[in-house]
Amino acid sequence: MFYLIFVTIVWSFSFSLIAVYLSGQVDSWFAVVMRVLLAFITFIPFFRFRGIRFKQMILLMGVGACQLGIMYFFYYNSFQYISVPEVLLFTISTPIYVTIIYDILQGHRLRYSYLLTAIIAVIGAAIIRYDHISRDFIIGFLLIQGANVVFALGQVGYKRIMELYPLPQHQAFAWVYLGAVLVASLGWLLFGDYSKLPTTNLQWGIIIWLGVIASGLCYFLWNYGATKVDSGTLAIMNNVVIPTGILVNVVVWHQSIDWIRFSIGSVVIVFALILHHKVKRHSPK
């Protein structure tokens, strides 16, 4: 849980940084490829060919391609159609995807107790985040749902791979980032706008921070934490970033919020986590 909580706090700053300083100003594919390339460079010292099977390489690279490569494409482009509050609102469905995909990968029936607590977490996030939605939200909504699905697939896929094919995780993640680099590089070569590169030191600084810290360090810690908790806890923790992201907007960006709704929604999310830990003793992991 510590790793998931730490990463949630760090990621809370990313929404506004991307929306304010990068979206519409820096090519989305370039931002993605630089972010995952910096993450891969961070983990190059742990890159190994020995002691890892070809199947493991492909599976881990597939995780990176989904969770970082394809997900970032959906995520960055969504800011061109919807606001930061709408992005936060539309990400709340991720816990449901995590629960369902993990059960499918394990090959057993859907665990309704896990799904119930995931839905409660979604309701809590909706209480906090539901607000006025722009009329032309549908494209942004679909982009975020695409990001939610591949992000969930990457998380639970990595968790399942580590269960089936144990490997030192710092070495495993070097392959994860390589998969992300390959997909992001291909996307940039095919669809990138070479006229929209970063033009200020601030933009480069944000990209470096997002690449080395928010991606390189934090995705490793998030997926490492995912292997230490059950899938239900992982699902619910995906929505804890909603209240923490809002608090960052209040403290750093001086945004106003409805404190009553924020408090009620946060309590509902915490309740979902407590309820899950009470019922999971009666359900398989």
Side-chain angles (χ1 to χ4, degrees):
M1 283 290 290
F2 169 78
Y3 300 106
L4 300 180
I5 293 171
F6 172 79
V7 173
T8 295
I9 294 172
V10 174
W11 281 349
S12 299
F13 292 86
S14 297
F15 295 102
S16 295
L17 288 176
I18 293 170
V20 174
Y21 298 109
L22 299 182
S23 179
Q25 304 170 54
V26 177
D27 176 62
S28 298
W29 276 113
F30 179 80
V32 170
V33 75
M34 285 302 300
R35 186 167 178 174
V36 296
L37 179 61
L38 288 168
F40 176 62
I41 291 172
T42 303
F43 273 73
I44 278 183
F46 309 116
F47 195 72
R48 299 288 187 277
F49 284 94
R50 296 181 60 182
I52 179 172
R53 290 180 288 177
F54 180 74
K55 183 176 182 179
Q56 289 175 290
M57 297 178 188
I58 297 300
L59 289 173
L60 290 169
M61 289 171 65
V63 166
C66 288
Q67 191 175 356
L68 288 90
I70 300 172
M71 184 278 289
Y72 275 146
F73 167 71
F74 286 131
Y75 176 65
Y76 272 78
N77 280 284
S78 70
F79 286 98
Q80 299 181 40
Y81 300 95
I82 54 179
S83 64
V84 172
E86 288 170 334
V87 169
L88 287 168
L89 170 62
F90 296 152
T91 60
I92 65 175
S93 59
T94 305
I96 295 175
Y97 298 135
V98 169
T99 299
I100 293 174
I101 292 173
Y102 187 76
D103 284 347
I104 291 173
L105 291 180
Q106 276 211 318
H108 56 55
R109 292 185 304 172
L110 183 65
R111 291 164 297 179
Y112 294 104
S113 60
Y114 280 33
L115 182 59
L116 173 63
T117 54
I119 291 174
I120 292 174
V122 169
I123 293 172
I127 292 172
I128 296 173
R129 199 54 274 168
Y130 184 81
D131 205 339
H132 173 71
I133 300 175
S134 58
R135 292 190 306 171
D136 301 322
F137 77 93
I138 188 64
I139 296 178
F141 173 81
L142 293 175
L143 286 170
I144 288 296
Q145 295 316 300
N148 291 346
V149 170
V150 293
F151 184 60
L153 181 61
Q155 292 178 71
V156 298
Y158 181 82
K159 178 177 174 62
R160 191 64 181 142
I161 291 168
M162 289 296 103
E163 291 169 353
L164 296 174
Y165 310 107
L167 188 72
Q169 295 199 44
H170 56 287
Q171 296 179 17
F173 237 77
W175 287 96
V176 170
Y177 288 131
L178 177 59
V181 169
L182 293 177
V183 169
S185 298
L186 179 62
W188 185 46
L189 290 173
L190 294 176
F191 308 112
D193 184 348
Y194 296 87
S195 67
K196 297 179 66 176
L197 300 182
T199 57
T200 68
N201 290 334
L202 178 59
Q203 289 175 334
W204 279 110
I206 291 172
I207 288 174
I208 292 172
W209 184 84
L210 291 172
V212 176
I213 304 300
S215 290
L217 175 63
C218 287
Y219 271 105
F220 167 72
L221 291 178
W222 181 268
N223 282 28
Y224 179 80
T227 66
K228 303 299 181 182
V229 300
D230 63 276
S231 61
T233 300
L234 176 63
I236 295 168
M237 285 300 298
N238 271 268
N239 269 1
V240 176
V241 74
I242 306 298
T244 54
I246 291 172
L247 285 177
V248 168
N249 272 341
V250 172
V251 175
V252 178
W253 306 101
H254 307 293
Q255 298 290 320
S256 60
I257 64 170
D258 184 330
W259 284 104
I260 295 177
R261 283 172 51 186
F262 175 83
S263 300
I264 294 173
S266 299
V267 168
V268 171
I269 294 175
V270 172
F271 170 74
L273 194 58
I274 294 173
L275 178 63
H276 169 72
H277 281 278
K278 287 184 176 296
V279 302
K280 77 174 183 177
R281 290 173 296 180
H282 307 289
S283 303
K285 283 191 175 183

